[in-house]
Amino acid sequence: GENVEQHPSTLSVQEGDSAVIKCTYSDSASNYFPWYKQELGKRPQLIIDIRSNVGEKKDQRIAVTLNKTAKHFSLHITETQPEDSAVYFCCYSGNTGKLIFGQGTTLQVKP
Amino acid sequence: DGGITQSPKYLFRKEGQNVTLSCEQNLNHDAMYWYRQDPGQGLRLIYYSQIVNDFQKGDIAEGYSVSREKKESFPLTVTSAQKNPTAFYLCASGASSYNEQFFGPGTRLTVL
């Protein structure tokens, strides 16, 4: 069935360090892979997305990589700041018209 | 984001009562979604609709019902059959499942 595993569930880093969140998905037909950030008590918001015709995409301090052969995709945040502290969700678009969400990673950036 | 609204922000109901949560969007999106989020948990899909007058069950549809009579609106009814309805409910819309989903601000439902 449609499933995505996300690791780690919690991640604590020092300000300025890098953070990496990894996801593995099951549906080989997927071609859209967004990442959402949710701050405490707020709505999820898209931070970056990637489509299957590219292997990497970067937007300032955030980058996403995709390995379709291995069905892996990852989020990389460099030079982390306290405002990066939030819950991050990886997702992929399945073939049934819905987004499949990972379980979430709680990132804490310590000043 | 600014084009998708949910009301009310907080809702309190007595056990056994049905309650309807509103979701409206002016983004001209075909697809709309309802998610449930429990404290410290991820998003679980309740129902989704890819086009007007059509909708599909998500992973946790039992005890919920929806309608999609207009493109702009996708109300969710939490029925008395839902055993544990207290949660944060998020509505989202998108051009399709292969595009960004925009989330509403959410409704926090508490059943007393």
Side-chain angles (χ1 to χ4, degrees):
Chain A
E2 298 172 319
N3 183 53
V4 57
E5 293 186 2
Q6 181 172 348
H7 299 282
S9 57
T10 59
L11 180 59
S12 182
V13 300
Q14 287 296 134
E15 183 177 358
D17 288 350
S18 296
V20 180
I21 302 170
K22 298 182 178 182
C23 292
T24 303
Y25 63 99
S26 58
D27 186 353
S28 58
S30 308
N31 61 16
Y32 178 58
F33 303 86
W35 286 85
Y36 285 85
K37 174 184 179 182
Q38 186 179 26
E39 297 177 1
L40 190 62
K42 296 189 177 180
R43 73 188 85 183
Q45 292 191 305
L46 182 78
I47 55 170
I48 195 168
D49 57 10
I50 191 169
R51 297 191 186 271
S52 59
N53 56 346
V54 298
E56 184 173 359
K57 184 177 179 180
K58 189 173 182 180
D59 183 2
Q60 298 181 347
R61 296 186 297 108
I62 296 173
V64 58
T65 59
L66 172 64
N67 182 333
K68 284 213 73 178
T69 302
K71 297 182 186 175
H72 291 167
F73 58 117
S74 302
L75 178 72
H76 305 251
I77 306 174
T78 59
E79 301 172 21
T80 54
Q81 301 167 4
E83 51 265 39
D84 294 330
S85 296
V87 179
Y88 292 81
F89 294 99
C90 65
C91 315
Y92 75 92
S93 183
N95 58 7
T96 53
K98 57 186 182 181
L99 276 182
I100 311 302
F101 280 80
Q103 299 84 350
T105 295
T106 300
L107 173 63
Q108 181 186 23
V109 180
K110 298 178 181 177
Chain B
D1 213 324
I4 180 165
T5 60
Q6 291 182 243
S7 61
K9 187 173 183 179
Y10 297 97
L11 189 56
F12 297 88
R13 280 295 182 267
K14 292 182 178 180
E15 193 172 336
Q17 289 182 332
N18 291 356
V19 61
T20 297
L21 282 57
S22 168
C23 178
E24 303 279 333
Q25 54 98 359
N26 62 4
L27 301 168
N28 200 34
H29 286 161
D30 284 319
M32 297 189 73
Y33 309 82
W34 273 106
Y35 297 92
R36 169 179 172 145
Q37 188 172 37
D38 293 287
Q41 302 297 312
L43 300 172
R44 292 189 289 170
L45 183 65
I46 305 172
Y47 269 98
Y48 63 108
S49 168
Q50 298 182 75
I51 198 166
V52 175
N53 292 322
D54 189 40
F55 50 82
Q56 290 80 37
K57 292 182 179 180
D59 301 316
I60 55 165
E62 185 175 353
Y64 300 97
S65 66
V66 293
S67 63
R68 186 82 188 279
E69 298 176 0
K70 297 188 298 181
K71 189 175 187 177
E72 303 79 19
S73 179
F74 191 40
L76 173 74
T77 297
V78 184
T79 75
S80 56
Q82 168 52 233
K83 299 304 179 188
N84 186 20
T86 294
F88 187 47
Y89 290 87
L90 286 159
C91 178
S93 72
S96 75
S97 64
Y98 298 103
N99 297 94
E100 177 183 0
Q101 285 189 15
F102 293 84
F103 284 83
T107 292
R108 199 166 297 276
L109 172 65
T110 302
V111 175
L112 306 171

